[in-house]
Amino acid sequence: MGIAVNLVTYLGGTMHLPSATSANIVTDFMGTSFLLCLLGGFLADSFLGRYRTIAIFATVQTFGTGLLAISTKQPQLRPPPCQATDITKCQHASGIQMGVLYISLYLIALGTGGLKSSVSGFGTDQFDEKDEKEKTQMAYFFSRFFFVISTGTLMAVTVLVYIQDEVGRSWGYGICSICMFTAILIFLSGTRRYRYKKCSGSPIVHICQVVVAARKKRKVELPSSTASLYEDYPEESRIQRTYQFRCLDKASVVTNTDYSEDGAFVSNPWTLCPVTRVEEVKMVIRLLPIWATTILFWSTYAQMITFSVEQATTMQRSIGNFKIPAASLTVFFVAAILITLGAYDRLIIPLLKKRKGKPGFSNLQLIAIGLFLSALGMASASVVEVKRLAVAKANGTTGTTLPISVFYLIPQFFLVGSGEGFMYTGQLDFFITQSPKGMKTMSTGLFLTTLSLGFFFSSLLVSIVKAATGSNGKHGWVGENINKGRLDCFYGLLAALSFINFGLFLLCASWYKRKKAKQVPEMEIIVKGSSVEEKL
């Protein structure tokens, strides 16, 4: 966060890139970071395990931040300084300069992907769900885990941003690298104390096996009873068959093709899958509508570290002789998260537990609250931008500082930040607890892809809006100078989309709760070995 939150000001102020281009570079960088969580999850599940994945990719991230610090220190890796208020008159960064910057950023993205995909799952591995005391402790893990992340973010948007702006970018990014190196040493110091779980194979491969097997047997009739279904999981690990997505059940139907010429039973996972594995795939499919309706939240979040920071650079930020760094306005964003999580952990959870016997809101309720607050945040941002543009028009659009207080931006930061406090913990809890036990890392990656796609959608939306409103020589809603654009309309568009998305989420959540776990009673399933032959 020490890199991402202030990157847009570096791209515009030092590399002399247009406003929309700078915003898209930041959102593409963040989107790639979270998209690579799928790669990290695949490697952790299939080959490395979560512990090794964290150690290796944290090292990659450390190397990337070090390279970024070096690239911002060397004068030949950035264009010459420019005092013009209109960046179109300044020399833009060259291809080589941008290339070095991209290498640094995407090494960081690669490291982030591997780290984030495994660290929360590795944390939950330290709790024994069969132990009631540890199971209770794990109920608090998700909110406290995110609280610690937010504390780090708070340090980033205050101390690190100030160092970057007032001392130097290379110092700020160098401190990030040193902090990561220290974190790796602390992580490794607990090696003998951790609990480890064996790699169970990639869930992605397992999902593909079920789909391929079901397709190969698509013409096979499902039996009227469940007696011809195959199962090889131990009794305590089995998941009972459900009625949903019955076309996938064909992957568990035993046919003559599952026997060799000499009559021996052959278990090929690409032609025959156990019922439990099929049900695991069904569980993942049930998550997808919820997954899809949480993506837009992270598009609104992206505005907090891009256009909202650019807004702050144009506004009055002085308190006495102290000038607040523009990116440090996100301290209100982080403060909202910390206040929300603290109040939820210490007030709401005990209150609901006392009155209703429930340990807080359900994960779907948390997500719904987060979506609604983010929609309100975008509506607030649109209203504030109307006022800011009116001041810009009255005082000239080329000035560097407008006579309007930056604290007008606090409501949008606070609403979206509070929304993230509910959203992140709700999503993390939902995707980990509602997914199959063997797919924790992949489910974490699935959750983090909502962040990735949210950032990518933000880039796409900015590009579409720029092309649609900036044709025929017009500046458009978003462009090189936000004082000449209509950012209020862009925020209004996001607010409208957010409210529509909130309604869709409520429908999907209702469907998920209604359809979840409707099981076939007292079913009889064929197990591997002699019982298969006896049934046939």
Side-chain angles (χ1 to χ4, degrees):
M1 287 304 296
I3 293 163
V5 76
N6 205 23
L7 182 59
V8 70
T9 62
Y10 178 75
L11 294 170
T14 303
M15 306 302 274
H16 307 149
L17 300 180
S19 172
T21 303
S22 299
N24 280 357
I25 288 174
V26 174
T27 51
D28 288 344
F29 161 64
M30 294 293 285
T32 303
S33 298
F34 292 111
L35 185 63
L36 287 171
C37 291
L38 290 177
L39 173 63
F42 172 78
L43 293 175
D45 285 332
S46 302
F47 306 107
L48 300 175
R50 296 188 183 106
Y51 171 80
R52 289 192 183 92
T53 301
I54 292 170
I56 291 170
F57 283 89
T59 303
V60 173
Q61 190 183 51
T62 304
F63 181 74
T65 53
L67 183 60
L68 183 62
I70 294 171
S71 71
T72 55
K73 178 69 175 177
Q74 300 301 317
Q76 60 269 33
L77 293 178
R78 58 181 186 271
C82 178
Q83 302 302 322
T85 56
D86 187 353
I87 63 168
T88 58
K89 299 177 181 178
C90 299
Q91 180 182 331
H92 292 187
S94 67
I96 294 176
Q97 291 167 342
M98 290 302 299
V100 174
L101 179 65
Y102 281 136
I103 291 172
S104 305
L105 290 177
Y106 285 96
L107 275 175
I108 296 169
L110 178 62
T112 301
L115 181 61
K116 283 187 174 292
S117 67
S118 299
V119 69
S120 57
F122 190 66
T124 58
D125 286 346
Q126 309 313 307
F127 299 92
D128 183 0
E129 294 185 31
K130 296 179 182 178
D131 185 296
E132 286 301 319
K133 183 179 178 181
E134 292 194 20
K135 187 176 181 180
T136 302
Q137 291 173 336
M138 192 172 74
Y140 291 92
F141 170 73
F142 297 110
S143 60
R144 292 176 180 175
F145 172 74
F146 189 50
F147 184 89
V148 173
I149 291 175
S150 299
T151 303
T153 304
L154 181 64
M155 295 295 293
V157 302
T158 52
V159 178
L160 277 179
V161 166
Y162 180 80
I163 291 173
Q164 289 168 12
D165 284 358
E166 301 300 326
V167 181
R169 293 278 175 168
S170 57
W171 279 96
Y173 296 147
I175 290 172
C176 287
S177 187
I178 293 170
C179 287
M180 277 304 303
F181 181 73
T182 305
I184 292 171
L185 295 180
I186 295 172
F187 173 72
L188 295 177
S189 70
T191 299
R192 294 184 178 180
R193 300 183 182 90
Y194 297 138
R195 293 173 177 172
Y196 301 92
K197 293 189 177 180
K198 294 181 180 179
C199 300
S200 57
S202 171
I204 297 175
V205 174
H206 293 167
I207 291 171
C208 291
Q209 287 173 342
V210 171
V211 173
V212 170
R215 177 171 173 75
K216 286 181 177 179
K217 295 182 176 180
R218 61 188 180 278
K219 296 182 180 180
V220 174
E221 291 291 331
L222 279 173
S224 55
S225 68
T226 58
S228 295
L229 298 181
Y230 170 70
E231 178 65 281
D232 64 357
Y233 276 67
E235 188 72 34
E236 65 275 7
S237 301
R238 292 180 185 176
I239 303 174
Q240 289 190 339
R241 181 189 171 201
T242 57
Y243 286 109
Q244 279 184 292
F245 314 118
R246 296 188 66 189
C247 59
L248 295 177
D249 290 339
K250 295 183 178 183
S252 299
V253 177
V254 180
T255 64
N256 292 332
T257 59
D258 296 309
Y259 287 84
S260 62
E261 293 181 358
D262 59 1
F265 178 70
V266 179
S267 178
N268 181 349
W270 293 96
T271 58
L272 182 64
C273 300
V275 169
T276 296
R277 183 158 295 172
V278 173
E279 290 303 317
E280 287 178 341
V281 175
K282 290 183 182 182
M283 289 175 71
V284 173
I285 294 174
R286 290 187 195 105
L287 302 179
L288 294 182
I290 303 296
W291 170 83
T293 50
T294 56
I295 291 172
L296 189 62
F297 174 90
W298 300 105
S299 296
T300 63
Y301 169 89
Q303 312 317 310
M304 298 299 104
I305 59 173
T306 53
F307 286 124
S308 291
V309 174
E310 290 192 56
Q311 284 177 288
T313 62
T314 69
M315 302 170 79
Q316 189 64 249
R317 293 179 278 122
S318 296
I319 301 178
N321 295 324
F322 178 72
K323 190 173 184 178
I324 304 171
S328 288
L329 260 291
T330 51
V331 69
F332 296 104
F333 180 81
V334 181
I337 295 173
L338 295 175
I339 292 169
T340 298
L341 292 177
Y344 181 69
D345 194 32
R346 294 299 178 182
L347 297 176
I348 298 176
I349 288 180
L351 184 63
L352 289 176
K353 195 172 184 180
K354 183 178 179 180
R355 290 191 174 183
K356 297 186 177 182
K358 297 179 180 180
F361 294 121
S362 70
N363 41 43
L364 290 176
Q365 288 172 330
L366 290 172
I367 294 172
I369 294 170
L371 288 174
F372 184 72
L373 288 174
S374 72
L376 289 180
M378 284 296 96
S380 171
S382 180
V383 172
V384 171
E385 179 62 5
V386 169
K387 183 173 181 62
R388 194 195 68 84
L389 286 175
V391 174
K393 186 176 181 180
N395 291 270
T397 58
T398 58
T400 55
T401 303
L402 300 175
I404 178 173
S405 174
V406 76
F407 295 113
Y408 276 102
L409 300 179
I410 290 177
Q412 66 200 58
F413 279 110
F414 197 87
L415 285 167
V416 178
S418 184
E420 189 190 355
F422 288 111
M423 187 72 176
Y424 194 101
T425 52
Q427 274 190 288
L428 190 60
D429 186 0
F430 177 77
F431 283 101
I432 287 182
T433 60
Q434 301 302 307
S435 63
K437 289 184 178 180
M439 296 187 179
K440 271 187 180 180
T441 306
M442 193 206 75
S443 62
T444 304
L446 190 65
F447 151 53
L448 293 172
T449 56
T450 64
L451 281 76
S452 171
L453 294 176
F455 284 113
F456 284 135
F457 180 73
S458 175
S459 297
L460 177 64
L461 192 61
V462 168
S463 298
I464 291 173
V465 168
K466 184 180 179 181
T469 62
S471 58
N472 301 322
K474 295 180 181 179
H475 189 276
W477 290 1
V478 293
E480 295 177 350
N481 187 334
I482 62 170
N483 288 342
K484 298 178 181 178
R486 291 299 307 272
L487 195 57
D488 57 324
C489 295
F490 180 72
Y491 282 154
L493 174 63
L494 268 175
L497 291 175
S498 296
F499 280 115
I500 293 170
N501 182 71
F502 174 68
L504 291 174
F505 171 80
L506 294 180
L507 292 175
C508 292
S510 176
W511 174 85
Y512 181 83
K513 291 176 69 177
R514 187 173 66 252
K515 295 291 185 180
K516 182 186 170 187
K518 199 171 184 180
Q519 296 177 337
V520 177
E522 299 180 2
M523 65 179 187
E524 183 182 7
I525 298 177
I526 294 179
V527 296
K528 65 179 180 180
S530 60
S531 57
V532 174
E533 297 171 7
E534 290 168 5
K535 290 289 181 184
L536 293 179

